[in-house]
Amino acid sequence: GEQPIFSTRAHVFQIDPNTKKNWVPTSKHAVTVSYFYDSTRNVYRIISLDGSKAIINSTITPNMTFTKTSQKFGQWADSRANTVYGLGFSSEHHLSKFAEKFQEFKEAARLAKEKSQEKMELTSTPSQESAGGDLQSPLTPESINGTDDERTPDVTQNSEPRAEPTQNALPFSHSSAISKHWEAELATLKGNNAKLTAALLESTANVKQWKQQLAAYQEEAERLHKRVTELECVSSQANAVHTHKTELNQTIQELEETLKVK
């Protein structure tokens, strides 16, 4: 039959079926989450009940991956259930222990699948492994708790700190996240390119303005130089006139004196 082989406690979430990004809590408080092993079918499952309602019923397959998205939160995608499950733990230790068990039972499921395929090839009969993964018998919270020594002791409701998931969950495929990342990178590059182009245009305009100012200064300097030359010429002429005037005054005085003598 099917027996619990490891149990712990966690807050259970499922991916929002509409947005495929946000988490929707499926338990109001921390509940027992157990690994079950069906020795008859050689199948491993993760099962959790909230009261009498099964909020997790996930058959572990070799292609599943458990991902730690924070120190106290982890998740895995179940294609059969068409959803992503998320678990929030009270400590990083409980998360690591659950992840170790997930990897261990995933490997066991892979080996069981290989043996089943070999047996099918030898006997030419269908594999005993069922694809449905439904509950074989009604489960109660008491049976979920199990007797494994590694199981976290039960505590009262809301006594465990709740590990909140990140706002955006990992999608079924990383391609969407990668695409968004490159789109953001491209937008950043476009923004930087626009800034550089604007700065280049501004620099070009400043250079043109500086060239115009330089040409104006050179023209003004040439004009002033011509003016100085003109003034120097005028000054030389003034000196010559002054000398000629002095000579004329002396001649007049001499003539006046001669006139007086006569």
Side-chain angles (χ1 to χ4, degrees):
E2 195 171 34
Q3 297 295 331
I5 52 179
F6 176 80
S7 297
T8 186
R9 291 182 67 83
H11 293 271
V12 180
F13 299 83
Q14 283 192 29
I15 198 71
D16 189 331
N18 296 321
T19 64
K20 299 295 184 182
K21 292 182 179 181
N22 301 324
W23 289 111
V24 177
T26 55
S27 65
K28 296 180 180 180
H29 50 83
V31 294
T32 300
V33 181
S34 302
Y35 287 99
F36 274 71
Y37 175 61
D38 187 343
S39 58
T40 304
R41 297 186 301 147
N42 209 6
V43 172
Y44 294 86
R45 290 196 295 163
I46 302 174
I47 298 174
S48 179
L49 297 180
D50 188 7
S52 59
K53 178 184 178 182
I55 55 178
I56 298 179
N57 181 17
S58 179
T59 301
I60 299 176
T61 60
N63 61 340
M64 284 184 176
T65 301
F66 184 81
T67 304
K68 297 179 182 179
T69 57
S70 69
Q71 291 184 345
K72 297 182 182 181
F73 194 85
Q75 65 184 63
W76 76 96
D78 188 336
S79 59
R80 294 182 179 181
N82 193 28
T83 189
V84 178
Y85 292 103
L87 296 179
F89 295 87
S90 60
S91 69
E92 185 176 1
H93 170 74
H94 289 116
L95 171 60
S96 298
K97 193 66 178 177
F98 187 90
E100 290 175 6
K101 292 295 181 182
F102 193 100
Q103 186 63 30
E104 176 184 340
F105 299 145
K106 170 185 171 180
E107 181 65 17
R110 184 185 67 81
L111 295 174
K113 183 177 181 180
E114 291 178 355
K115 290 181 180 179
S116 176
Q117 290 176 345
E118 292 175 359
K119 184 177 180 181
M120 181 180 64
E121 292 174 357
L122 292 174
T123 61
S124 299
T125 58
S127 172
Q128 293 181 355
E129 182 179 352
S130 170
D134 296 329
L135 288 169
Q136 298 300 306
S137 59
L139 297 174
T140 63
E142 290 77 13
S143 65
I144 290 294
N145 290 339
T147 57
D148 194 278
D149 293 337
E150 302 256 8
R151 179 173 60 84
T152 305
D154 292 342
V155 295
T156 57
Q157 294 184 0
N158 299 326
S159 62
E160 296 179 359
R162 178 168 179 168
E164 294 294 340
T166 55
Q167 182 65 24
N168 293 328
L170 292 176
F172 290 102
S173 172
H174 291 287
S175 60
S176 176
I178 293 174
S179 176
K180 290 181 179 179
H181 170 74
W182 285 117
E183 287 177 0
E185 289 289 337
L186 180 60
T188 302
L189 290 175
K190 287 182 177 179
N192 292 337
N193 184 53
K195 292 179 181 178
L196 291 174
T197 303
L200 180 60
L201 292 175
E202 183 178 358
S203 299
T204 303
N206 290 336
V207 169
K208 290 182 178 179
Q209 183 179 2
W210 295 336
K211 286 183 177 180
Q212 292 175 354
Q213 290 180 351
L214 179 60
Y217 293 153
Q218 289 176 341
E219 183 179 354
E220 180 68 14
E222 186 176 355
R223 187 185 66 81
L224 291 175
H225 181 70
K226 289 181 179 180
R227 181 60 178 167
V228 169
T229 303
E230 291 175 358
L231 290 175
E232 288 178 348
C233 292
V234 171
S235 177
S236 298
Q237 293 176 358
N239 291 334
V241 170
H242 180 70
T243 302
H244 184 62
K245 180 181 179 181
T246 303
E247 292 177 352
L248 288 175
N249 287 335
Q250 290 179 351
T251 302
I252 291 172
Q253 288 179 357
E254 290 176 354
L255 290 174
E256 286 178 349
E257 290 177 357
T258 301
L259 181 61
K260 287 181 182 180
V261 169
K262 289 182 178 184

